[in-house]
Amino acid sequence: MFEIVLILMFAALLAAVLIQWRRARSGEATGGRPGDPRFSNRVPGTLTLTGVSDQPVEGDKNHQVFCTVSGTIIGPDTAPTAVYGRFVVPLSMSWPSIGDEIPVTYKPGKAETSWELAGPIGHDPGQAGPNLRKD
């Protein structure tokens, strides 16, 4: 009996690890897309950058780098909320600077823990929406 329970627990743990691994490797964009059900019950807001990491000179083999930002989210359902995030971005992206305003979405009342980018974080407004992964 004990062995069966142990095998079932191991199988459940393995399934959970595989699901998380696939989710992390899928490379889904974090920015909202029209009709995306993950963003249907979210509130739009604005992230004003108060801190930005220095732009690295070279990226990894995929020409990607980490961009770390901090700032304040202001939206209709929340008081100004300080947030921090680290993103994987293409090296060719126009680097953000302090004072930039970036559109975000968040769950009502949970801006600090559930915010996601909803637009590009660089200076180039012609960029397509972000294809970023929050780390």
Side-chain angles (χ1 to χ4, degrees), residues 23-49:
R23 194 176 291 168
R25 303 251 318 155
S26 68
E28 291 179 7
T30 58
R33 302 262 193 280
D36 187 342
R38 295 180 301 156
F39 294 93
S40 61
N41 64 344
R42 298 175 73 84
V43 178
T46 303
L47 169 64
T48 303
L49 297 182

Side-chain angles (χ1 to χ4, degrees), residues 4-20:
I4 294 173
V5 172
L6 190 60
I7 289 171
L8 289 175
M9 287 176 50
F10 181 71
L13 178 65
L14 182 61
V17 168
L18 287 174
I19 289 170
Q20 289 296 328

Side-chain angles (χ1 to χ4, degrees), residues 55-60 62-65 89-95:
Q55 184 174 13
V57 176
E58 51 184 66
D60 63 8
N62 298 322
H63 305 288
Q64 295 179 332
V65 295
V89 298
L91 186 60
S92 61
M93 181 193 83
S94 175
W95 207 252

Side-chain angles (χ1 to χ4, degrees), residues 51-54 66-70 84-87 95-96:
V52 178
S53 62
D54 293 333
F66 284 109
C67 178
T68 305
V69 298
S70 61
Y84 172 89
R86 188 169 137 189
F87 301 91
W95 207 252

Side-chain angles (χ1 to χ4, degrees), residues 55-132:
Q55 184 174 13
V57 176
E58 51 184 66
D60 63 8
K61 67 179 181 172
N62 298 322
H63 305 288
Q64 295 179 332
V65 295
F66 284 109
C67 178
T68 305
V69 298
S70 61
T72 304
I73 291 179
I74 299 172
D77 286 6
T78 186
T81 305
V83 295
Y84 172 89
R86 188 169 137 189
F87 301 91
V88 176
V89 298
L91 186 60
S92 61
M93 181 193 83
S94 175
W95 207 252
S97 61
I98 294 174
D100 285 355
E101 293 185 348
I102 301 165
V104 296
T105 62
Y106 57 90
K107 291 181 181 176
K110 298 182 179 182
E112 186 174 352
T113 58
S114 68
W115 68 279
E116 298 284 345
L117 295 175
I121 65 172
H123 297 292
D124 185 5
Q127 275 182 317
N131 186 10
L132 309 176

